[in-house]
Amino acid sequence: AMEDVCAKFVSQKISKTRWRPLPAAALQPPDLFATGSWDNEDNRISIWSVGDLGNVGLNGEYQGEPQLLCDIGHNGDVMDMQFLDQERIVAASSTGTVTIFRHHQNNQTLSANQRWEKAHYHVDQDTSCGGAACTGVICNNPEIVTVGEDGRINLFRADQKDAVRSIDNADSSTLHAVTFLRTNEILTVNSIGQLKIWDLRQQRNEPSQIFSLTGDRVPLHCVDRHPNQQHIVATGGQDGMLSIWDIRQGTMPVSLLNAHEAEMWEIHFHPSNPDHLFTCSEDGSLWHWDTSTDISEKPSFLHQGGRSTMYFSHNAINQSVVSAWLSNDPTKDRMEITNLIPNQTLSVNSLDVLGPCLVYGTDAEAIYVNRQLFA
């Protein structure tokens, strides 16, 4: 379905792509997205509109490529980026600084709204070279949690100058990513294959639970929580494997699935269709994992680029669709995997999904938008 994909060459390597969240009652597909760049002379945060929705081609496909609405310089590589609300974007920098940018929609400009200098640092905040990369950020407006190379966890509140809370030596290794499990609980992944749960209400600086990949201590780079089932978590790491965890039980993953041939950089459950999961990798691929139950009706499961189909069963006890992620009896149902980029070469660094739309960014200095994911 490559013809559904619109490419835009942007002359900078793209490290992050994010859809602007839609208002709660919105029925229309997402219309704006933000990108962050890395490894360029001048890195930038940019806001794009998806292009001209009015023009539909002969076969019903969209015309028009993404249009740049505005951009602003960013000091350091954009390591992570999240929308805080409709107007504000939080960016994590390789310099250790965390910045909130505001998108002014009346005149299409971006401005730095608030900045926490060296939220992450190696020695102390005052030395000139002390910054440590801020590797991950997650928002639950007005709260912002950041993690970094320094093993530190910060809890900020928008419009508050100082950190609400910092756990200085949360981890002795690099923290690569963070997500909210619920309002007061976060989950981090680190460079020695561990997941840790932190209860932000506790004053203790220790995690409430630790999970780990057995044996190899493979660095984990990304994590996402199932949107409806808070106990289901997916992670990806340096070996390209997809791990599914049930944090209610055990300390090891429920399933390990062979996936990419190099580092997995990002993983996202579809926010409203969580039977669908998306992963992207240094190997230049972007996979769509589909555990929805009607797969058996589909006539063929050999897709362009899709190189494996896996079989899963539903527990007799638990007939919920979600259980597809947790079951491992390889006899009844199957999970369908499609590589959405059959002939890509350079790293796919970031992806985001919302409604029927996918946006992803690559080291080939391009952003791609697919507005008909489930067509």
Side-chain angles (χ1 to χ4, degrees):
M2 287 301 287
E3 57 278 6
D4 298 332
V5 177
C6 215
K8 173 88 176 175
F9 291 91
V10 295
S11 67
Q12 44 183 356
K13 292 184 185 174
I14 297 298
S15 56
K16 291 292 154 185
T17 56
R18 297 287 178 253
W19 288 112
R20 180 178 69 171
L22 288 166
L27 297 171
Q28 77 273 26
D31 54 347
L32 288 191
F33 63 91
T35 60
S37 72
W38 81 289
D39 197 27
N40 307 290
E41 293 272 308
D42 311 293
N43 289 304
R44 308 197 77 74
I45 303 270
S46 309
I47 305 268
W48 307 82
S49 87
V50 291
D52 187 358
L53 283 166
N55 286 339
V56 177
L58 292 172
N59 304 322
E61 79 281 15
Y62 291 115
Q63 303 285 308
E65 54 176 32
Q67 302 295 314
L68 179 65
L69 296 178
C70 49
D71 64 356
I72 192 169
H74 179 270
N75 191 8
D77 293 339
V78 177
M79 303 291 289
D80 199 4
M81 189 174 69
Q82 300 289 341
F83 274 88
L84 180 65
D85 55 26
Q86 298 277 297
E87 274 81 46
R88 290 177 295 175
I89 299 167
V90 185
S93 171
S94 55
T95 65
T97 295
V98 176
T99 311
I100 302 182
F101 292 95
R102 186 177 285 274
H103 174 214
H104 307 273
Q105 294 178 53
N106 49 355
N107 61 358
Q108 291 304 341
T109 56
L110 273 165
S111 64
N113 184 238
Q114 187 172 1
R115 187 171 275 133
W116 291 281
E117 295 283 349
K118 288 194 195 158
H120 295 272
Y121 52 91
H122 283 304
V123 193
D124 61 84
Q125 259 171 315
D126 306 322
T127 53
S128 58
C129 57
C134 177
T135 50
V137 59
I138 193 78
C139 303
N140 185 13
N141 190 10
E143 301 198 311
I144 297 163
V145 174
T146 69
V147 296
E149 241 171 42
D150 52 0
R152 182 176 279 103
I153 298 172
N154 292 310
L155 171 62
F156 296 110
R157 211 165 268 133
D159 307 324
Q160 254 174 254
K161 190 168 154 287
D162 297 317
V164 178
R165 172 121 194 250
S166 283
I167 306 177
D168 283 348
N169 301 307
D171 210 302
S172 53
S173 55
T174 295
L175 289 170
H176 280 143
V178 58
T179 191
F180 275 101
L181 287 180
R182 41 184 71 83
T183 315
N184 297 301
E185 266 190 331
I186 57 164
L187 185 143
T188 59
V189 297
N190 71 11
S191 58
I192 56 169
Q194 294 173 319
L195 274 69
K196 297 182 182 180
I197 296 178
W198 307 81
D199 186 337
L200 297 173
R201 289 163 304 191
Q202 301 287 336
Q203 282 314 300
R204 299 181 313 127
N205 290 342
E206 274 83 49
S208 51
Q209 273 178 284
I210 300 180
F211 303 82
S212 58
L213 290 169
T214 44
D216 296 342
R217 299 198 146 198
V218 175
L220 291 171
H221 290 301
C222 51
V223 58
D224 197 26
R225 189 205 82 200
H226 190 289
N228 319 334
Q229 308 273 319
Q230 270 108 335
H231 55 276
I232 300 179
V233 170
T235 63
Q238 191 164 293
D239 56 2
M241 296 276 284
L242 167 64
S243 308
I244 305 289
W245 311 70
D246 180 347
I247 59 175
R248 297 169 305 183
Q249 52 185 33
T251 56
M252 295 187 313
V254 187
S255 49
L256 283 167
L257 305 171
N258 267 314
H260 301 279
E261 285 160 18
E263 291 89 346
M264 187 191 294
W265 291 132
E266 216 157 78
I267 186 163
H268 287 293
F269 284 103
H270 191 286
S272 50
N273 275 334
D275 300 336
H276 298 268
L277 179 80
F278 297 83
T279 58
C280 64
S281 166
E282 178 73 28
D283 68 10
S285 62
L286 191 160
W287 285 18
H288 173 188
W289 307 69
D290 180 359
T291 64
S292 60
T293 43
D294 58 352
I295 291 172
S296 46
E297 279 93 79
K298 294 185 184 173
S300 148
F301 52 85
L302 285 173
H303 288 280
Q304 50 170 18
R307 61 162 190 212
S308 59
T309 293
M310 291 153 135
Y311 292 88
F312 277 82
S313 78
H314 291 292
N315 259 330
I317 317 148
N318 177 2
Q319 278 298 330
S320 83
V321 188
V322 184
S323 63
W325 288 117
L326 296 182
S327 59
N328 44 22
D329 166 13
T331 49
K332 304 208 185 65
D333 298 328
R334 63 171 179 255
M335 165 146 51
E336 189 173 48
I337 303 166
T338 314
N339 180 6
L340 299 180
I341 320 175
N343 41 22
Q344 185 72 22
T345 50
L346 293 179
S347 178
V348 182
N349 296 323
S350 183
L351 72 97
D352 198 21
V353 282
L354 187 59
C357 301
L358 164 73
V359 60
Y360 58 95
T362 72
D363 272 353
E365 307 196 338
I367 45 182
Y368 298 86
V369 176
N370 178 343
R371 288 188 278 197
Q372 299 175 311
L373 256 190
F374 302 110

